[in-house]
């Protein structure tokens, strides 16, 4: 917490942001301003809501602190920056960025808010280092709506690949280094993003659709048509990394592509050994690299899914109940900090205190349980609980009366 303390000018928000981060790490079944304020011992949620919505602080500066903390403790010369988006299903249309759109969280088109995240993945661990809210055209074309949601006057529409390029550029411009970038078809199918990474000298392994066209020495082909021409002896069985149930073995083949620009470009194809399902990747590297390296980078994509799972399950990434952009950016940035703390503790424990043979190494889930049980001591006395019961019922009574008055006025 000392890393971000200087971003808050007064001692009250410094103390409160510490309590908020501890609340994000707590074992509360539901985490928002109300539940965390009660858990932290405050009499009302007003202070927590003020911290997220109106206190003087810059969430982007805190984000930079989180990025430096992650890179310092999880540093890896062959780290991969993994980019992906996740959505939070919402009701109504007042929450910033919300509209009916596809989200992988629901697996269908829903009324949702979508954000793109950048995850730093190395051998010691992984954690998010940047975030960008996807603001649809239905918002950017309505300046009054953007202004009411706390978005700046200069806010313009940006696609998800453009948001990804913006975050990668911020990471590199800050003086950090990452050898590779990985992402799914949304990003691999965008030629502007690929060109931007090549100009920065950053390698990538980005998924593409089966209909993606590439140029080889024999001509131009669709990726799936090219896969049919690969002889059986060309496939190699390699692991894409260890999973919960062991190594994830697939068959792989790489095909060199023709391009007049400097660098090495390939099409990487993955085949599921059980179902025969194929996946395709566009690859670039400034210097030649072996197939095993491309496979390792392709396998790193799962790290962003692990961040979404643990970020939501352990630190309430998707449980915010805020409408305006400043509150959203502060909440998700503090969630990134809470998750990064767990990732760094995990990495340090694995390095300093290897687990005995009969135990698996400490996980982020187990570290959170131990931290809450042994270190954090929230307020749980009866007087405090009863006071919060009265506050909730009083707030709900005011809301109910307000709804009835509004209904009578409309009638």
């Amino acid at each position: 917490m000392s890393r971000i303390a200087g971003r808050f000018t007064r001692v009250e928000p410094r103390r409160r942001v510490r309590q908020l981060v501890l609340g994000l790490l707590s074992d509360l079944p539901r985490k928002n301003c109300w539940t965390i304020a009660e858990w932290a011992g405050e009499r009302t949620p007003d202070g927590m809501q003020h911290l997220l919505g109106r206190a003087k602080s810059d969430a982007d500066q805190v984000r930079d602190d989180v990025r430096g903390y992650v890179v310092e403790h999880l540093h890896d010369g062959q780290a991969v920056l993994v980019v992906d988006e996740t959505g939070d299903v919402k009701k109504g249309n007042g929450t910033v960025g919300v509209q009916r759109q596809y989200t992988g969280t629901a697996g269908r088109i829903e009324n949702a808010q979508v954000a793109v995240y950048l995850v730093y993945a190395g051998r010691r661990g992984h954690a998010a280092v940047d975030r960008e809210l996807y603001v649809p055209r239905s918002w950017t074309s309505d300046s009054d709506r953007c202004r009411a949601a706390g978005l700046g006057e200069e806010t313009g529409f940006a696609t998800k690949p453009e948001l990804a390029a913006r975050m990668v550029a911020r990471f590199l411009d800050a003086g950090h280094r990452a050898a590779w970038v990985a992402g799914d078809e949304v990003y691999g199918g965008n030629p502007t993003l690929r060109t931007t990474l090549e100009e920065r000298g950053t390698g990538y392994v980005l998924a593409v659709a089966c209909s993606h066209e590439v140029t080889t020495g024999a001509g131009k082909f669709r990726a799936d048509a090219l896969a049919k021409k690969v002889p059986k002896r060309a496939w190699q069985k390699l692991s894409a990394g260890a999973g919960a149930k062991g190594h994830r073995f697939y068959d792989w083949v790489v095909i060199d592509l023709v391009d007049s620009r400097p660098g090495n470009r390939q099409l990487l194809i993955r085949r599921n050994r059980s179902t025969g399902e194929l996946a395709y990747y566009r690859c670039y590297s400034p210097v030649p690299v072996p197939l095993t390296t491309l496979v390792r980078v392709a396998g790193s994509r799962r790290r962003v899914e692990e961040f979404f799972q643990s970020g939501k399950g352990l630190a309430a990434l998707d449980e915010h109940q805020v409408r305006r952009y400043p509150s959203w950016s502060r909440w998700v940035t503090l969630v990134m900090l809470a998750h990064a703390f767990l990732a760094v503790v995990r990495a340090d424990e694995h390095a300093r205190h290897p687990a005995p043979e009969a135990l698996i190494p400490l996980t982020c889930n187990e570290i959170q349980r131990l931290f809450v049980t042994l270190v954090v001591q929230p307020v749980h006395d009866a007087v405090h609980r009863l006071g919060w019961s009265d506050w909730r019922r009083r707030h709900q009574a005011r809301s109910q009366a307000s709804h009835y008055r509004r209904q009578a006025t409309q009638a």
Side-chain angles (χ1 to χ4, degrees):
M1 297 306 302
S2 63
R3 285 179 174 261
I4 69 169
R7 306 305 184 185
F8 302 87
T9 56
R10 295 174 56 85
V11 66
E12 293 87 358
R14 281 201 293 270
R15 291 172 178 169
R16 189 162 282 124
V17 74
R18 179 181 183 275
Q19 292 301 112
L20 179 56
V21 173
L22 287 174
L24 292 172
L25 291 168
S26 71
D27 53 359
L28 285 168
R30 184 74 178 174
K31 299 170 186 177
N32 52 51
C33 282
W34 284 27
T35 60
I36 292 176
E38 180 181 2
W39 177 89
E42 300 197 6
R43 297 179 62 183
T44 71
D46 297 344
M48 292 292 181
Q49 292 172 339
H50 175 80
L51 175 68
L52 291 178
R54 299 180 298 277
K56 291 184 178 180
S57 66
D58 190 331
D60 289 344
Q61 292 179 340
V62 177
R63 173 207 62 202
D64 295 343
D65 294 334
V66 174
R67 181 179 60 210
Y69 174 70
V70 170
V71 175
E72 176 184 336
H73 289 275
L74 303 182
H75 177 73
D76 184 353
Q78 292 299 311
V80 181
L81 294 176
V82 190
V83 61
D84 201 0
E85 74 275 358
T86 186
D88 302 328
V89 177
K90 297 291 181 181
K91 296 181 180 179
N93 58 7
T95 303
V96 60
V98 161
Q99 74 167 16
R100 288 192 60 79
Q101 54 191 320
Y102 178 82
T103 169
T105 304
R108 59 184 182 273
I109 295 176
E110 283 282 358
N111 199 58
Q113 178 190 61
V114 174
V116 183
Y117 290 85
L118 188 70
V119 170
Y120 182 89
R123 288 168 293 184
R124 286 172 50 82
H126 61 277
V129 293
D130 209 339
R131 75 288 179 270
E132 284 281 356
L133 180 66
Y134 174 69
V135 185
R137 292 186 189 274
S138 60
W139 279 79
T140 57
S141 60
D142 188 339
S143 58
D144 292 338
R145 193 182 187 191
C146 289
R147 191 180 307 110
L151 292 168
E153 295 288 342
E154 72 285 353
T155 302
F157 176 74
T159 64
K160 294 166 187 175
E162 287 173 341
L163 296 177
R166 188 182 301 173
M167 291 189 292
V168 172
R170 248 192 324 253
F171 182 90
L172 298 175
D173 291 342
H176 305 304
R177 292 290 175 266
W180 298 92
V181 171
D184 64 16
E185 294 178 11
V186 173
Y187 309 95
N190 186 275
T192 303
L193 175 61
R194 298 199 307 268
T195 301
T196 300
L197 294 176
E198 292 174 10
E199 291 174 350
R200 301 292 301 247
T202 303
Y204 59 74
V205 178
L206 300 171
V208 293
C210 62
S211 58
H212 183 79
E213 293 188 342
V214 294
T215 303
T216 70
K220 194 172 186 178
F221 300 91
R222 281 173 49 120
D224 53 359
L226 200 56
K228 295 178 181 178
K229 301 178 180 294
V230 176
K232 292 183 178 180
R233 64 179 181 276
W235 295 95
Q236 298 185 47
K237 176 185 174 183
L238 295 170
S239 170
K245 300 180 180 179
H247 283 278
R248 298 173 294 133
F249 285 106
Y250 296 91
D251 292 329
W252 302 84
V253 69
V254 64
I255 301 171
D256 291 330
L257 304 181
V258 174
D259 198 299
S260 59
R261 295 169 296 175
N264 300 269
R265 295 166 180 81
Q266 295 95 9
L267 178 69
L268 178 67
I269 307 176
R270 185 193 73 188
R271 183 175 66 189
N272 189 297
R273 294 181 61 83
S274 300
T275 65
E277 181 183 5
L278 300 177
Y280 308 91
Y281 304 85
R282 279 290 297 261
C283 307
Y284 165 81
S285 59
V287 296
V289 296
L291 173 60
T292 52
T293 299
L294 299 179
V295 170
R296 176 184 67 83
V297 177
S300 297
R301 270 185 56 203
R302 70 181 179 89
R303 300 291 189 89
V304 72
E305 297 297 337
E306 292 175 1
F307 164 71
F308 291 150
Q309 182 179 5
S310 57
K312 294 178 179 182
L314 300 180
L317 180 67
D318 60 339
E319 293 180 13
H320 58 83
Q321 294 181 352
V322 296
R323 289 180 177 272
R324 303 181 76 247
Y325 177 76
S327 302
W328 175 86
S329 62
R330 293 176 184 182
W331 178 276
V332 299
T333 304
L334 294 176
V335 168
M336 288 163 50
L337 175 61
H339 177 267
F341 164 74
L342 296 175
V344 168
V345 172
R346 174 183 177 273
D348 289 345
E349 284 296 313
H350 288 190
R352 298 175 184 176
H353 308 290
E357 291 185 2
L359 302 176
I360 67 168
L362 279 171
T363 63
C364 288
N365 298 60
E366 191 63 27
I367 290 169
Q368 185 203 36
R369 295 189 189 97
L370 294 174
F371 181 70
V372 172
T373 303
L374 302 177
V375 180
V376 181
Q377 298 178 350
V379 177
H380 292 302
D381 62 89
V383 175
H384 178 70
R385 295 298 195 193
L386 290 172
W388 264 88
S389 177
D390 290 344
W391 189 93
R392 278 193 296 269
R393 290 159 59 199
R394 188 178 304 112
H395 180 86
Q396 290 162 358
R398 289 196 300 264
S399 298
Q400 186 181 61
S402 176
H403 289 315
Y404 280 124
R405 283 196 300 269
R406 185 182 301 109
Q407 186 179 54
T409 302
Q410 292 172 348

